Amino acid sequence: MIRALALQECAPAAALVERHRTLNPDPAIALARLDERLMHAPPAVREGWIRRAFLHEAVASLRLNGFYVAARDLMLMLEDASERLPDQDLSRARAIHQMIASMSRRDPRHLFNARRLLVMTSLRLRGKPPGHPNLPSWLNRHRDPEQVRDTLDEALWPSAIATWEKLPPLEAAAAIIAHWHATGAAESIGAAPGRALAMAWVHRAGLVSGYYFLPAIGFFGHAMDYRPDLQARWPR
């Protein structure tokens, strides 16, 4: 039943309308329908959709950070088919794509624990010197585990997670991104990981059965209005 009407049956419809007058419920229902279609699609179709989605999500996330890379250029780089050396922006896009792909192989319930994320970070750092090309830029900037842990502890404080659990999945995803910025994690770690966590939350909440929520693509149409790197205010 379309993921139980996008998991919003837990609250009376009238109360939801009253509490979220400006929130259109259609995106949640459309996302649940997409999930059902992907579940029943042939494996090759589903895998192709996911690969293309992650590619465009990485490019859109980079664009929100203030840099531009064409999706085709990133695709050629990932397939080792590019005829030119990657520039700095293309390397940034690849790092975001690697982060999303790595996240998609993990249980979303394990991504909202600062200690577990720190362990994952430590594993990626092992044996790689600062400046290693296969490390994301935020890991190259922060080699001090204590600093990373303090930032993650604040961004993923249990009381914040408890608040998100009381919200509809998509509203919680928006709250996660806003909280990531408010705690300074976007500045010290990077904005893209916050969007990735929002992506994971919708999966964790059960609205979809995979990493099918693509927040950066959703924001992409407002890229000129909202610039995290310029500290623009969130639209209300």
Side-chain angles (χ1 to χ4, degrees):
M1 182 58 183
I2 311 300
R3 290 280 171 180
L5 290 180
L7 297 181
Q8 294 186 11
E9 82 290 359
C10 57
L16 281 174
V17 172
E18 182 64 26
R19 287 179 54 206
H20 313 297
R21 290 184 179 274
T22 61
L23 182 62
N24 187 345
D26 288 349
I29 295 176
L31 193 59
R33 286 175 175 167
L34 171 64
D35 180 65
E36 290 194 359
R37 290 184 178 183
L38 288 173
M39 282 193 297
H40 293 93
V45 173
R46 182 169 56 252
E47 179 64 23
W49 186 93
I50 292 172
R51 293 185 63 178
R52 183 176 177 85
F54 286 1
L55 182 77
H56 285 274
E57 176 68 10
V59 169
S61 189
L62 181 73
R63 179 64 184 87
L64 288 174
N65 287 347
F67 306 98
Y68 174 77
V69 163
R72 176 178 173 80
D73 289 340
L74 177 58
M75 179 186 68
L76 291 174
M77 182 182 183
L78 294 173
E79 297 295 334
D80 293 325
S82 179
E83 296 181 354
R84 65 183 180 88
L85 293 176
D87 56 25
Q88 192 173 20
D89 290 347
L90 199 52
S91 296
R92 291 189 180 103
R94 178 178 62 178
I96 294 175
H97 183 274
Q98 288 175 337
M99 175 187 64
I100 295 173
S102 176
M103 176 189 69
S104 70
R105 294 189 292 269
R106 301 181 183 278
D107 189 320
R109 294 173 298 178
H110 299 163
L111 296 175
F112 292 86
N113 182 292
R115 186 177 298 276
R116 286 183 175 178
L117 284 179
L118 185 62
V119 170
M120 291 164 52
T121 300
S122 299
L123 291 175
R124 297 195 68 178
L125 289 172
R126 187 174 299 167
K128 296 181 176 66
H132 193 282
N134 291 334
L135 285 176
S137 59
W138 69 276
L139 288 184
N140 274 322
R141 291 200 308 268
H142 299 289
R143 303 309 300 269
D144 181 4
E146 293 296 328
Q147 185 179 7
V148 174
R149 186 179 64 183
D150 290 344
T151 303
L152 290 176
D153 277 341
E154 186 175 2
L156 300 176
W157 199 250
S159 60
I161 295 176
T163 299
W164 303 334
E165 290 175 337
K166 298 176 183 178
L167 299 174
L170 293 184
E171 186 177 345
I176 289 169
I177 296 176
H179 183 69
W180 189 261
H181 283 261
T183 59
E187 181 179 356
S188 61
I189 293 178
R195 290 188 284 270
L197 286 174
M199 185 178 180
W201 182 272
V202 177
H203 180 14
R204 179 185 187 271
L207 180 57
V208 290
S209 60
Y211 291 87
Y212 307 146
F213 173 60
L214 308 170
I217 291 177
F219 280 121
F220 186 71
H222 303 278
M224 298 305 297
D225 301 323
Y226 171 66
R227 290 284 300 278
D229 53 311
L230 297 183
Q231 299 183 350
R233 295 187 61 182
W234 283 82
R236 293 184 179 275

